[in-house]
Amino acid sequence: MINVAIDGPAGAGKSTVAKAAAKELGYIYVDTGALYRTIALNAVRNGVIDDTDKIIKMLDNTVVELKHIDGVQAVYLNGEDVSALIRTPEISMGASKVSAIPKVREFLLELQRDIARKNNVIMDGRDIATVVLPNADVKIFLFASPECRAQRRYKELIEKGEQLKYEDVLADVNQRDYQDSHREIAPLRPSEDSVMCDTSELNLEESIEAVVNIVKENIA
């Protein structure tokens, strides 16, 4: 099986680019961030998002599943399709909180590795190349400047009808970067053998092409 690991900060376009690249290459796309968002959603629903001990206890009654239907990934929480419910700013920040908890990472680790063992995958997240799939065939660190990522996110949210300020989105991006890069467990950082891919000046199509080319060049 061929495993491609894509890491990078929030808002770098990892999910969109990885999903499209996987489709072009005929691989399964695995959005690990969706798994952490699902845990965060469950924690918010249970009113325990700020209580680490209660989040850990909650895991005993939590079942998270990834299903691929016609190449499209859906994430399930205790049998409920929550794919659309986990894409809010509140759940994004919650995901950053729960991902800093070692027991949560341990809870999801085997699920991610099992998918990679059975399929050709492109898996994206924060620590795929460093922790989840350290022996991946191809490792890519996809990034863009905080301002660029905030602008993309701001435009996306405005188009969805949300009322907010660009400055607030930028502040969220910077806060998420700080949380992800300073956590004790599996902090966000490129592995020594990751190929660096800066998408600040690239549009979506160019970003996808760049990733596909990196994969092809490294599995030849």
Side-chain angles (χ1 to χ4, degrees):
M1 294 300 155
I2 296 172
N3 292 173
V4 179
I6 299 182
D7 294 309
K14 294 188 306 297
S15 297
T16 304
V17 172
K19 187 185 302 181
K23 184 176 182 180
E24 185 167 333
L25 292 164
Y27 296 178
I28 282 181
Y29 163 64
V30 183
D31 172 10
T32 63
L35 302 176
Y36 289 98
R37 286 170 177 268
T38 301
I39 299 295
L41 175 65
N42 204 25
V44 168
R45 285 179 168 180
N46 285 277
V48 299
I49 191 65
D50 294 313
D51 190 321
T52 297
D53 290 337
K54 289 183 179 178
I55 289 173
I56 292 172
K57 188 174 181 180
M58 178 194 76
L59 296 176
D60 292 336
N61 299 306
T62 302
V63 177
V64 179
E65 299 172 279
L66 277 184
K67 297 182 181 181
H68 291 84
I69 303 166
D70 295 329
V72 178
Q73 174 185 278
V75 61
Y76 287 76
L77 170 63
N78 297 332
E80 175 192 358
D81 185 348
V82 296
S83 304
L85 301 177
I86 59 175
R87 300 298 173 183
T88 67
E90 178 189 15
I91 299 304
S92 291
M93 295 307 296
S96 188
K97 288 181 180 179
V98 301
S99 66
I101 302 171
K103 285 291 185 183
V104 172
R105 306 196 73 82
E106 185 181 309
F107 177 77
L108 294 173
L109 181 61
E110 187 53 35
L111 171 61
Q112 297 168 64
R113 286 180 172 170
D114 186 57
I115 296 170
R117 276 194 293 267
K118 297 175 180 176
N119 304 276
N120 292 334
V121 301
I122 291 186
M123 187 178 292
D124 78 349
R126 302 286 189 281
D127 65 342
I128 309 305
T130 54
V131 177
V132 180
L133 299 177
N135 297 315
D137 303 274
V138 184
K139 301 177 182 180
I140 300 170
F141 193 83
L142 195 74
F143 67 101
S145 70
E147 293 77 14
C148 178
R149 289 182 282 127
Q151 187 61 49
R152 291 173 182 170
R153 182 65 175 153
Y154 173 73
K155 181 180 178 182
E156 178 184 325
L157 293 172
I158 289 296
E159 288 175 351
K160 289 182 178 179
E162 297 193 29
Q163 300 295 317
L164 73 173
K165 297 179 180 177
Y166 164 77
E167 290 77 13
D168 293 336
V169 178
L170 178 59
D172 282 347
V173 166
N174 285 325
Q175 182 182 352
R176 184 76 188 271
D177 283 354
Y178 184 85
Q179 288 178 346
D180 289 345
S181 60
H182 285 77
R183 66 188 181 210
E184 290 185 18
I185 303 297
L188 171 67
R189 60 178 174 80
S191 66
E192 292 183 0
D193 50 351
S194 287
V195 178
M196 304 299 289
C197 183
D198 185 352
T199 68
S200 298
E201 301 299 324
L202 304 180
N203 61 30
L204 178 57
E205 290 72 22
E206 290 168 338
S207 299
I208 295 166
E209 182 181 5
V211 167
V212 169
N213 286 341
I214 290 171
V215 173
K216 288 181 176 178
E217 287 167 5
N218 285 274
I219 61 172

